[in-house]
Amino acid sequence: MHRRTLLQTLSLASLAGALPGLSISALANSIKSYSVEELPKLEGELTLYLGRGEGGLYEDVLNAIKKRNPNFDLKIRRGPTAALANMLLAEAKAGVSRADLFWAVDSGAIGQVAQAGLAKSLPTDITAQLKPEFRFHNWAPITGRIRTLPYNPTKVGSKQLPTSIMDLPNTDLSIAWAPSYASFQSFVTAMRLLEGEAATIQWLKAMKQKAKKYAGELGVVMAVERGEADIGLANHYYTLRLKSGKPDANLTLAFTNNDAGCLINASGIISLTENKTAIDFIRYLLTTEVQSYLSSEAYEIPLAGNNAPPQGIPTLDTISPPNVDLTKLADVRPTLTLMRKAGVL
Amino acid sequence: MNVISKKCVHLLKSLVVCSALFTISAQANGPVGDHVNHLSKHLPAYEKEVHWLIEKVDGIVSRYHKDGAKAAHADAVVEHWEAVKFHAAIETNYVLVYASIWQGLFAVKESIDKGLPINDVRKEQTKLTQALWQGLGAVKMAATLQDKGLLAQIQTREGAPTNSIEALDTINTRLNRVVAKYAEKLIDTSVKMVAETYLNLFEGVEGELIALDANLVEDLEKDFNVTLPKAIKSHASVEDVRQIVATMTNKVNRASTLIKNNANNKKDVF
């Protein structure tokens, strides 16, 4: 059994012990899923700061919510996630409060805003809709993305794939990576937190000797598929998307075990107000309909309810992501310093 | 509105950069003024400026012919251009001609600096003059559209695209501005604009696009990350860079068509 699964089982077991008559399996399946049909109508006005996400898919969700709620006026401010997080901090410092909600594409930005004391606590019925490892008192993860090792099976052949991300530079595999990419930097931040600075800089330096640099992670995945590299580092959905457009693509996903190499990061939402409409709006994003839409259209991993992950990746209970407080991924500055020291940026 | 004028409006609107997506960045000569939102009112001034510029350039070329390169002060070609308000009017309304004007300015300056025969310099001067008149024509057309409320106000801050189609339109606008900045000899700015356009705009579209045409995404990936930055960094001619961008723009338009056609196949959220 993977360490994480074991820990979950233990914590469920102790909880089950505290609640006689409630079995572990009942607890595991006790995540409540809601349909949009069960939700109250949204009324009034809200301002949402929306971090730049997946093309227009988040916009499709917002438009669908607006269409269902004719008496609801949603004002949206769009921009890069990091820029909006900084804007919220600056506005708070100036005593200005413009946003009711912040939907960010990575948990680091959520952490930045939450650590500044701007996030309001969420009702327990909202957090109870999320998978146990994704329950936070002041923000709601919406969907997840897993760090993966996409590889080209025709090139890798019988070569041994590493089960630890720290071993990757010691293999004889050619590697593709995108170090200037935000998701990659979150992954290095997780490595720094888990392995320490010395091991991380050593890993970066070793990787620099071997890896070929690309601008983005879709570029990484395409390079692996073309055979420019044996293996790459990228979020899971790039591979799924490429395979959806090119079903015979030479690509397979590998996962490391219990380290930053299989970090699960999440997009999420914060309420900056205790306004009931803002809280109800979050409920809409956790509905079965929205979760399954983001899974099937954006290949993101549903984190609320009992929705299946997108086809092509294993279920969350069969992989072993590291135990990292996602909101700590906001601390990216020391990571950038390390990356510069290693000559990677 | 008759069919022809509708076509004209459509054509210009498709070329016009004057939209909520235009960012007022620091220009070579400072920020764009609000006069660009009141084009009709400023047309007489713009026209006067174009005449003045043409005269000034002619004066420089004539001095070159008479007294040589040193007496000509060819650097003043660019200084004169940056001194006029028309500069911003054309940049915000027809960036393609804006690029041609910069190309013409530098062609006149460099042909003088190189000591080329007067006939060669005059050829470049003629091209520049044509670009300036073209620019004025475009601004006049834009003024007409603006008066009819058919053009969005030029914003002083960028509005983010709300869907892939808008993102692709913005990408084309940005790519045309890359040519303009390159024609201005702003190499680092051009390279940075290409990288930012890729990371902030194309990256958000690729996911949707790759499921529709993986080869097209692969092509554009190469254009953004290799072909265009490489041409700029190796100081290719403006014409070559313009050609690369034109090819990319065609691919972006193809992408836009694919995504529009796919919109009907998308499942509903609820």
Side-chain angles (χ1 to χ4, degrees), chain B residues 26-76:
Chain B
Q27 308 299 315
N29 64 325
V32 170
D34 192 50
H35 63 93
V36 295
N37 285 317
H38 310 282
L39 293 172
S40 287
K41 188 178 156 192
H42 291 90
L43 279 179
Y46 296 150
E47 192 154 353
K48 209 181 270 186
E49 285 176 342
V50 170
H51 280 288
W52 178 80
L53 273 166
I54 288 169
E55 272 174 38
K56 284 287 178 189
V57 173
D58 188 60
I60 288 167
V61 175
S62 298
R63 274 200 304 279
Y64 170 65
H65 187 200
K66 192 165 164 261
D67 301 319
K70 202 175 173 188
H73 291 301
D75 288 351

Tab-separated table of all heavy atoms in Angstrom, chain B residues 26-76:
chain	number	residue	atom	x	y	z
B	26	ALA	N	4.631	51.721	-23.114
B	26	ALA	CA	5.560	52.822	-23.330
B	26	ALA	C	6.040	52.748	-24.770
B	26	ALA	O	6.510	51.727	-25.230
B	26	ALA	CB	6.718	52.684	-22.382
B	27	GLN	N	5.837	53.785	-25.501
B	27	GLN	CA	6.261	53.804	-26.889
B	27	GLN	C	7.652	54.404	-26.971
B	27	GLN	O	8.166	54.948	-26.010
B	27	GLN	CB	5.291	54.671	-27.727
B	27	GLN	CG	3.836	54.309	-27.555
B	27	GLN	CD	3.555	52.879	-27.973
B	27	GLN	OE1	4.010	52.435	-29.004
B	27	GLN	NE2	2.836	52.153	-27.139
B	28	ALA	N	8.179	54.314	-28.172
B	28	ALA	CA	9.507	54.900	-28.388
B	28	ALA	C	9.490	56.381	-28.042
B	28	ALA	O	10.480	56.948	-27.637
B	28	ALA	CB	9.907	54.695	-29.837
B	29	ASN	N	8.318	57.000	-28.192
B	29	ASN	CA	8.241	58.441	-27.934
B	29	ASN	C	7.288	58.764	-26.792
B	29	ASN	O	6.679	59.807	-26.761
B	29	ASN	CB	7.781	59.165	-29.202
B	29	ASN	CG	6.377	58.732	-29.555
B	29	ASN	OD1	6.027	57.588	-29.347
B	29	ASN	ND2	5.573	59.641	-30.064
B	30	GLY	N	7.116	57.823	-25.888
B	30	GLY	CA	6.258	58.086	-24.740
B	30	GLY	C	4.877	57.486	-24.945
B	30	GLY	O	4.620	56.828	-25.937
B	31	PRO	N	3.969	57.733	-23.991
B	31	PRO	CA	2.674	57.074	-24.061
B	31	PRO	C	1.766	57.637	-25.153
B	31	PRO	O	1.920	58.775	-25.563
B	31	PRO	CB	2.087	57.338	-22.674
B	31	PRO	CG	2.775	58.560	-22.200
B	31	PRO	CD	4.123	58.577	-22.830
B	32	VAL	N	0.829	56.808	-25.585
B	32	VAL	CA	-0.161	57.252	-26.562
B	32	VAL	C	-1.138	58.187	-25.871
B	32	VAL	O	-1.576	57.917	-24.768
B	32	VAL	CB	-0.924	56.009	-27.103
B	32	VAL	CG1	-2.108	56.430	-27.936
B	32	VAL	CG2	0.013	55.134	-27.900
B	33	GLY	N	-1.482	59.286	-26.528
B	33	GLY	CA	-2.402	60.244	-25.905
B	33	GLY	C	-3.848	59.906	-26.199
B	33	GLY	O	-4.146	59.081	-27.064
B	34	ASP	N	-4.755	60.550	-25.485
B	34	ASP	CA	-6.179	60.262	-25.645
B	34	ASP	C	-6.718	60.779	-26.981
B	34	ASP	O	-7.844	60.463	-27.359
B	34	ASP	CB	-6.959	60.884	-24.471
B	34	ASP	CG	-8.386	60.377	-24.438
B	34	ASP	OD1	-8.558	59.137	-24.497
B	34	ASP	OD2	-9.319	61.201	-24.421
B	35	HIS	N	-5.907	61.553	-27.707
B	35	HIS	CA	-6.368	62.075	-29.004
B	35	HIS	C	-6.778	60.944	-29.944
B	35	HIS	O	-7.600	61.142	-30.843
B	35	HIS	CB	-5.285	62.955	-29.652
B	35	HIS	CG	-4.009	62.230	-29.974
B	35	HIS	ND1	-3.772	61.654	-31.207
B	35	HIS	CD2	-2.896	61.966	-29.225
B	35	HIS	CE1	-2.576	61.086	-31.198
B	35	HIS	NE2	-2.019	61.251	-30.009
B	36	VAL	N	-6.241	59.729	-29.703
B	36	VAL	CA	-6.570	58.609	-30.590
B	36	VAL	C	-8.025	58.166	-30.439
B	36	VAL	O	-8.531	57.427	-31.280
B	36	VAL	CB	-5.630	57.389	-30.356
B	36	VAL	CG1	-4.202	57.743	-30.725
B	36	VAL	CG2	-5.718	56.892	-28.925
B	37	ASN	N	-8.680	58.640	-29.376
B	37	ASN	CA	-10.103	58.340	-29.228
B	37	ASN	C	-10.983	59.438	-29.814
B	37	ASN	O	-12.207	59.386	-29.702
B	37	ASN	CB	-10.439	58.108	-27.749
B	37	ASN	CG	-9.950	56.738	-27.281
B	37	ASN	OD1	-10.113	55.756	-27.992
B	37	ASN	ND2	-9.329	56.689	-26.116
B	38	HIS	N	-10.364	60.457	-30.402
B	38	HIS	CA	-11.105	61.569	-31.032
B	38	HIS	C	-10.452	61.871	-32.369
B	38	HIS	O	-9.980	62.984	-32.618
B	38	HIS	CB	-11.074	62.794	-30.107
B	38	HIS	CG	-11.466	62.469	-28.698
B	38	HIS	ND1	-12.786	62.296	-28.318
B	38	HIS	CD2	-10.721	62.220	-27.584
B	38	HIS	CE1	-12.823	61.968	-27.028
B	38	HIS	NE2	-11.590	61.911	-26.561
B	39	LEU	N	-10.419	60.889	-33.240
B	39	LEU	CA	-9.655	60.991	-34.485
B	39	LEU	C	-10.147	62.127	-35.374
B	39	LEU	O	-9.341	62.909	-35.894
B	39	LEU	CB	-9.704	59.654	-35.238
B	39	LEU	CG	-8.985	58.475	-34.566
B	39	LEU	CD1	-9.287	57.181	-35.312
B	39	LEU	CD2	-7.481	58.693	-34.510
B	40	SER	N	-11.485	62.230	-35.563
B	40	SER	CA	-12.015	63.240	-36.494
B	40	SER	C	-11.543	64.633	-36.126
B	40	SER	O	-11.136	65.416	-36.977
B	40	SER	CB	-13.543	63.215	-36.487
B	40	SER	OG	-13.971	62.063	-37.152
B	41	LYS	N	-11.612	64.891	-34.835
B	41	LYS	CA	-11.224	66.217	-34.327
B	41	LYS	C	-9.753	66.506	-34.678
B	41	LYS	O	-9.374	67.657	-34.888
B	41	LYS	CB	-11.426	66.209	-32.812
B	41	LYS	CG	-11.262	67.551	-32.142
B	41	LYS	CD	-11.538	67.411	-30.647
B	41	LYS	CE	-10.831	68.533	-29.882
B	41	LYS	NZ	-10.843	68.258	-28.449
B	42	HIS	N	-8.947	65.479	-34.736
B	42	HIS	CA	-7.502	65.687	-34.927
B	42	HIS	C	-7.028	65.450	-36.357
B	42	HIS	O	-5.851	65.613	-36.648
B	42	HIS	CB	-6.712	64.775	-33.970
B	42	HIS	CG	-6.849	65.186	-32.531
B	42	HIS	ND1	-7.850	64.700	-31.728
B	42	HIS	CD2	-6.146	66.077	-31.789
B	42	HIS	CE1	-7.747	65.249	-30.531
B	42	HIS	NE2	-6.726	66.089	-30.535
B	43	LEU	N	-7.979	65.084	-37.266
B	43	LEU	CA	-7.565	64.806	-38.646
B	43	LEU	C	-6.805	65.958	-39.308
B	43	LEU	O	-5.760	65.719	-39.941
B	43	LEU	CB	-8.767	64.405	-39.506
B	43	LEU	CG	-9.222	62.941	-39.381
B	43	LEU	CD1	-10.441	62.683	-40.257
B	43	LEU	CD2	-8.109	61.973	-39.752
B	44	PRO	N	-7.295	67.204	-39.166
B	44	PRO	CA	-6.545	68.302	-39.811
B	44	PRO	C	-5.098	68.363	-39.310
B	44	PRO	O	-4.171	68.583	-40.098
B	44	PRO	CB	-7.329	69.554	-39.413
B	44	PRO	CG	-8.695	69.055	-39.092
B	44	PRO	CD	-8.518	67.691	-38.519
B	45	ALA	N	-4.934	68.152	-38.009
B	45	ALA	CA	-3.577	68.206	-37.431
B	45	ALA	C	-2.730	67.048	-37.969
B	45	ALA	O	-1.561	67.232	-38.319
B	45	ALA	CB	-3.655	68.128	-35.908
B	46	TYR	N	-3.336	65.854	-38.049
B	46	TYR	CA	-2.588	64.699	-38.569
B	46	TYR	C	-2.135	64.971	-40.010
B	46	TYR	O	-1.006	64.680	-40.391
B	46	TYR	CB	-3.449	63.420	-38.564
B	46	TYR	CG	-3.892	62.925	-37.200
B	46	TYR	CD1	-5.094	62.226	-37.048
B	46	TYR	CD2	-3.117	63.131	-36.056
B	46	TYR	CE1	-5.510	61.755	-35.816
B	46	TYR	CE2	-3.523	62.660	-34.815
B	46	TYR	CZ	-4.728	61.978	-34.696
B	46	TYR	OH	-5.137	61.513	-33.481
B	47	GLU	N	-3.068	65.532	-40.803
B	47	GLU	CA	-2.761	65.782	-42.216
B	47	GLU	C	-1.610	66.780	-42.334
B	47	GLU	O	-0.684	66.598	-43.133
B	47	GLU	CB	-4.010	66.306	-42.932
B	47	GLU	CG	-3.850	66.311	-44.420
B	47	GLU	CD	-5.197	66.206	-45.164
B	47	GLU	OE1	-6.248	66.000	-44.524
B	47	GLU	OE2	-5.164	66.342	-46.373
B	48	LYS	N	-1.676	67.795	-41.488
B	48	LYS	CA	-0.611	68.810	-41.481
B	48	LYS	C	0.727	68.140	-41.128
B	48	LYS	O	1.758	68.443	-41.724
B	48	LYS	CB	-0.955	69.882	-40.431
B	48	LYS	CG	-0.406	71.260	-40.771
B	48	LYS	CD	-0.753	72.262	-39.703
B	48	LYS	CE	-2.089	72.942	-39.976
B	48	LYS	NZ	-2.350	74.025	-38.988
B	49	GLU	N	0.669	67.246	-40.169
B	49	GLU	CA	1.900	66.559	-39.730
B	49	GLU	C	2.495	65.694	-40.844
B	49	GLU	O	3.708	65.641	-41.005
B	49	GLU	CB	1.601	65.686	-38.500
B	49	GLU	CG	1.430	66.498	-37.221
B	49	GLU	CD	1.036	65.625	-36.026
B	49	GLU	OE1	0.574	64.485	-36.240
B	49	GLU	OE2	1.212	66.080	-34.882
B	50	VAL	N	1.608	65.024	-41.600
B	50	VAL	CA	2.098	64.176	-42.688
B	50	VAL	C	2.802	65.030	-43.742
B	50	VAL	O	3.901	64.708	-44.200
B	50	VAL	CB	0.943	63.337	-43.304
B	50	VAL	CG1	1.392	62.646	-44.594
B	50	VAL	CG2	0.459	62.293	-42.302
B	51	HIS	N	2.157	66.162	-44.094
B	51	HIS	CA	2.799	67.083	-45.056
B	51	HIS	C	4.156	67.543	-44.520
B	51	HIS	O	5.143	67.578	-45.244
B	51	HIS	CB	1.906	68.313	-45.296
B	51	HIS	CG	0.790	68.043	-46.261
B	51	HIS	ND1	0.987	67.868	-47.607
B	51	HIS	CD2	-0.558	67.906	-46.061
B	51	HIS	CE1	-0.173	67.650	-48.202
B	51	HIS	NE2	-1.132	67.665	-47.277
B	52	TRP	N	4.162	67.905	-43.265
B	52	TRP	CA	5.397	68.422	-42.617
B	52	TRP	C	6.502	67.352	-42.655
B	52	TRP	O	7.645	67.643	-42.986
B	52	TRP	CB	5.068	68.820	-41.172
B	52	TRP	CG	6.229	69.331	-40.364
B	52	TRP	CD1	6.775	70.587	-40.390
B	52	TRP	CD2	6.990	68.585	-39.406
B	52	TRP	NE1	7.824	70.681	-39.502
B	52	TRP	CE2	7.983	69.444	-38.881
B	52	TRP	CE3	6.943	67.275	-38.933
B	52	TRP	CZ2	8.904	69.056	-37.914
B	52	TRP	CZ3	7.859	66.891	-37.963
B	52	TRP	CH2	8.827	67.761	-37.473
B	53	LEU	N	6.112	66.114	-42.326
B	53	LEU	CA	7.091	65.015	-42.321
B	53	LEU	C	7.675	64.788	-43.713
B	53	LEU	O	8.885	64.626	-43.872
B	53	LEU	CB	6.412	63.712	-41.869
B	53	LEU	CG	6.361	63.456	-40.368
B	53	LEU	CD1	5.381	62.329	-40.061
B	53	LEU	CD2	7.753	63.078	-39.845
B	54	ILE	N	6.769	64.779	-44.701
B	54	ILE	CA	7.223	64.535	-46.075
B	54	ILE	C	8.211	65.627	-46.508
B	54	ILE	O	9.243	65.347	-47.127
B	54	ILE	CB	6.003	64.432	-47.028
B	54	ILE	CG1	5.284	63.095	-46.751
B	54	ILE	CG2	6.417	64.532	-48.499
B	54	ILE	CD1	3.923	62.963	-47.406
B	55	GLU	N	7.882	66.860	-46.117
B	55	GLU	CA	8.796	67.983	-46.443
B	55	GLU	C	10.142	67.817	-45.745
B	55	GLU	O	11.204	68.032	-46.333
B	55	GLU	CB	8.179	69.318	-45.984
B	55	GLU	CG	7.275	69.956	-47.016
B	55	GLU	CD	6.582	71.194	-46.437
B	55	GLU	OE1	7.229	71.939	-45.664
B	55	GLU	OE2	5.391	71.387	-46.734
B	56	LYS	N	10.067	67.459	-44.472
B	56	LYS	CA	11.311	67.312	-43.688
B	56	LYS	C	12.212	66.226	-44.297
B	56	LYS	O	13.414	66.408	-44.427
B	56	LYS	CB	10.989	66.942	-42.229
B	56	LYS	CG	10.476	68.112	-41.404
B	56	LYS	CD	11.603	69.067	-41.101
B	56	LYS	CE	11.145	70.288	-40.329
B	56	LYS	NZ	12.199	71.293	-40.226
B	57	VAL	N	11.598	65.095	-44.643
B	57	VAL	CA	12.376	63.992	-45.225
B	57	VAL	C	12.954	64.429	-46.563
B	57	VAL	O	14.127	64.169	-46.876
B	57	VAL	CB	11.497	62.718	-45.379
B	57	VAL	CG1	12.246	61.624	-46.128
B	57	VAL	CG2	11.071	62.210	-44.010
B	58	ASP	N	12.141	65.143	-47.335
B	58	ASP	CA	12.633	65.611	-48.627
B	58	ASP	C	13.823	66.559	-48.441
B	58	ASP	O	14.804	66.508	-49.192
B	58	ASP	CB	11.510	66.311	-49.398
B	58	ASP	CG	11.937	66.631	-50.822
B	58	ASP	OD1	12.269	65.682	-51.555
B	58	ASP	OD2	11.974	67.815	-51.176
B	59	GLY	N	13.727	67.383	-47.397
B	59	GLY	CA	14.828	68.307	-47.092
B	59	GLY	C	16.111	67.544	-46.769
B	59	GLY	O	17.204	67.890	-47.246
B	60	ILE	N	15.971	66.492	-45.994
B	60	ILE	CA	17.143	65.680	-45.608
B	60	ILE	C	17.762	65.028	-46.850
B	60	ILE	O	18.981	65.060	-47.029
B	60	ILE	CB	16.725	64.608	-44.561
B	60	ILE	CG1	16.436	65.292	-43.209
B	60	ILE	CG2	17.802	63.541	-44.387
B	60	ILE	CD1	15.720	64.428	-42.195
B	61	VAL	N	16.899	64.451	-47.684
B	61	VAL	CA	17.398	63.770	-48.886
B	61	VAL	C	18.044	64.785	-49.833
B	61	VAL	O	19.116	64.525	-50.414
B	61	VAL	CB	16.256	62.979	-49.590
B	61	VAL	CG1	16.741	62.367	-50.907
B	61	VAL	CG2	15.722	61.890	-48.668
B	62	SER	N	17.419	65.949	-49.965
B	62	SER	CA	17.986	66.982	-50.855
B	62	SER	C	19.344	67.451	-50.343
B	62	SER	O	20.283	67.658	-51.126
B	62	SER	CB	17.024	68.171	-50.957
B	62	SER	OG	15.811	67.732	-51.522
B	63	ARG	N	19.461	67.629	-49.018
B	63	ARG	CA	20.762	68.049	-48.448
B	63	ARG	C	21.829	66.978	-48.710
B	63	ARG	O	22.976	67.281	-48.977
B	63	ARG	CB	20.632	68.294	-46.939
B	63	ARG	CG	20.155	69.697	-46.588
B	63	ARG	CD	20.499	70.076	-45.149
B	63	ARG	NE	19.978	69.125	-44.167
B	63	ARG	CZ	18.714	69.122	-43.734
B	63	ARG	NH1	17.864	70.021	-44.194
B	63	ARG	NH2	18.313	68.227	-42.863
B	64	TYR	N	21.391	65.739	-48.603
B	64	TYR	CA	22.323	64.623	-48.872
B	64	TYR	C	22.828	64.712	-50.315
B	64	TYR	O	24.030	64.583	-50.594
B	64	TYR	CB	21.605	63.289	-48.631
B	64	TYR	CG	22.388	62.077	-49.096
B	64	TYR	CD1	23.594	61.729	-48.490
B	64	TYR	CD2	21.916	61.280	-50.143
B	64	TYR	CE1	24.320	60.607	-48.916
B	64	TYR	CE2	22.629	60.166	-50.565
B	64	TYR	CZ	23.824	59.839	-49.954
B	64	TYR	OH	24.534	58.736	-50.376
B	65	HIS	N	21.895	64.950	-51.215
B	65	HIS	CA	22.247	65.027	-52.637
B	65	HIS	C	23.219	66.179	-52.882
B	65	HIS	O	24.203	66.066	-53.622
B	65	HIS	CB	20.954	65.223	-53.449
B	65	HIS	CG	21.175	65.156	-54.935
B	65	HIS	ND1	20.296	65.686	-55.842
B	65	HIS	CD2	22.185	64.620	-55.667
B	65	HIS	CE1	20.763	65.478	-57.068
B	65	HIS	NE2	21.906	64.827	-56.983
B	66	LYS	N	22.957	67.316	-52.184
B	66	LYS	CA	23.728	68.537	-52.434
B	66	LYS	C	25.048	68.537	-51.657
B	66	LYS	O	26.105	68.821	-52.218
B	66	LYS	CB	22.860	69.731	-52.007
B	66	LYS	CG	23.372	71.087	-52.461
B	66	LYS	CD	22.266	72.147	-52.327
B	66	LYS	CE	22.878	73.537	-52.403
B	66	LYS	NZ	23.075	74.161	-51.101
B	67	ASP	N	24.971	68.200	-50.353
B	67	ASP	CA	26.154	68.404	-49.490
B	67	ASP	C	26.687	67.134	-48.836
B	67	ASP	O	27.579	67.185	-47.993
B	67	ASP	CB	25.815	69.416	-48.382
B	67	ASP	CG	25.371	70.750	-48.961
B	67	ASP	OD1	25.994	71.181	-49.962
B	67	ASP	OD2	24.388	71.319	-48.449
B	68	GLY	N	26.055	65.991	-49.084
B	68	GLY	CA	26.597	64.751	-48.535
B	68	GLY	C	25.937	64.327	-47.229
B	68	GLY	O	25.100	65.045	-46.660
B	69	ALA	N	26.360	63.146	-46.752
B	69	ALA	CA	25.697	62.484	-45.615
B	69	ALA	C	25.781	63.288	-44.321
B	69	ALA	O	24.819	63.376	-43.568
B	69	ALA	CB	26.308	61.104	-45.406
B	70	LYS	N	26.931	63.873	-44.042
B	70	LYS	CA	27.110	64.584	-42.773
B	70	LYS	C	26.138	65.755	-42.673
B	70	LYS	O	25.508	65.979	-41.637
B	70	LYS	CB	28.565	65.069	-42.678
B	70	LYS	CG	28.993	65.338	-41.243
B	70	LYS	CD	30.451	65.705	-41.142
B	70	LYS	CE	30.771	66.123	-39.712
B	70	LYS	NZ	32.117	66.668	-39.600
B	71	ALA	N	26.012	66.483	-43.769
B	71	ALA	CA	25.133	67.661	-43.780
B	71	ALA	C	23.660	67.261	-43.712
B	71	ALA	O	22.818	68.034	-43.247
B	71	ALA	CB	25.397	68.473	-45.049
B	72	ALA	N	23.368	66.057	-44.151
B	72	ALA	CA	21.964	65.622	-44.231
B	72	ALA	C	21.335	65.399	-42.854
B	72	ALA	O	20.134	65.579	-42.673
B	72	ALA	CB	21.889	64.334	-45.039
B	73	HIS	N	22.144	64.997	-41.845
B	73	HIS	CA	21.621	64.663	-40.502
B	73	HIS	C	20.477	63.641	-40.601
B	73	HIS	O	19.342	63.908	-40.212
B	73	HIS	CB	21.116	65.916	-39.774
B	73	HIS	CG	22.227	66.844	-39.386
B	73	HIS	ND1	23.258	66.479	-38.570
B	73	HIS	CD2	22.448	68.130	-39.752
B	73	HIS	CE1	24.097	67.502	-38.428
B	73	HIS	NE2	23.637	68.522	-39.147
B	74	ALA	N	20.797	62.489	-41.153
B	74	ALA	CA	19.757	61.481	-41.420
B	74	ALA	C	19.050	60.998	-40.148
B	74	ALA	O	17.910	60.542	-40.215
B	74	ALA	CB	20.381	60.301	-42.155
B	75	ASP	N	19.726	61.101	-38.991
B	75	ASP	CA	19.083	60.677	-37.728
B	75	ASP	C	17.778	61.429	-37.478
B	75	ASP	O	16.869	60.921	-36.821
B	75	ASP	CB	20.019	60.943	-36.524
B	75	ASP	CG	21.180	59.965	-36.514
B	75	ASP	OD1	21.138	59.019	-37.319
B	75	ASP	OD2	22.117	60.159	-35.711
B	76	ALA	N	17.714	62.642	-38.013
B	76	ALA	CA	16.539	63.491	-37.769
B	76	ALA	C	15.270	62.884	-38.371
B	76	ALA	O	14.157	63.206	-37.941
B	76	ALA	CB	16.777	64.886	-38.343
